Amino acid sequence: AADVFAPCALGAVLDNETVPALRSAIVAGAANNQLAQDRHGEELHRRGILYAPDYVINAGGLISVAQAVAGEDASGAKAWSAVCRIGAVLSEIFDRAEAEGQSPGAIADRLAVERIAGHRRGAREAKR
């Protein structure tokens, strides 16, 4: 039993055994691939346990790497601004999940697809 279960080391820790045993209100940790399968995120949702999708909550590291690869200061204002938006993105995911009656993981996946498609459209339009 805990207020928050925070898997921060190993992936796939949320599985057929651990999900039913959880007695926490929130799952939010930094480990990658915390769900053994997508259905475990759905089960957390059905049980009323708020799940913060791992690739959203720990996006700061990827943001920093992307800035460095782009030749920008990974600890500069642009990177910091992007990291500061993680909370707003999580709020959007949680709000949409509640409004649509879906799990945060499903909403986060859909939001990622929407954003990637938008960037691709923007890149195609920029080439014209």
Side-chain angles (χ1 to χ4, degrees):
D3 292 330
V4 177
F5 175 64
C8 292
L10 299 174
V13 297
L14 297 165
D15 59 20
N16 292 337
E17 293 180 31
T18 57
V19 170
L22 277 177
R23 302 291 178 258
S24 64
I26 299 169
V27 173
N32 291 329
N33 305 312
Q34 296 165 15
L35 303 172
Q37 298 177 352
D38 288 344
R39 65 186 176 83
H40 296 115
E42 299 299 325
E43 179 62 21
L44 291 172
H45 177 68
R46 278 191 294 281
R47 294 194 52 221
I49 298 172
L50 182 64
Y51 172 64
D54 52 2
Y55 64 89
V56 179
I57 199 169
N58 67 17
L62 185 55
I63 290 168
S64 178
V65 168
Q67 294 294 311
V69 168
E72 299 182 23
D73 180 5
S75 62
K78 186 174 179 182
W80 182 247
S81 175
V83 168
C84 288
R85 288 192 302 273
I86 293 171
V89 171
L90 281 168
S91 291
E92 177 183 356
I93 289 166
F94 297 149
D95 290 346
R96 283 179 62 176
E98 184 174 350
E100 297 176 27
Q102 294 193 3
S103 72
I107 298 296
D109 289 351
R110 189 171 343 126
L111 184 59
V113 169
E114 290 168 4
R115 289 185 176 189
I116 291 167
H119 286 288
R120 285 183 178 157
R121 277 192 303 276
R124 281 193 303 269
E125 290 171 7
K127 287 182 181 180
R128 291 181 193 169

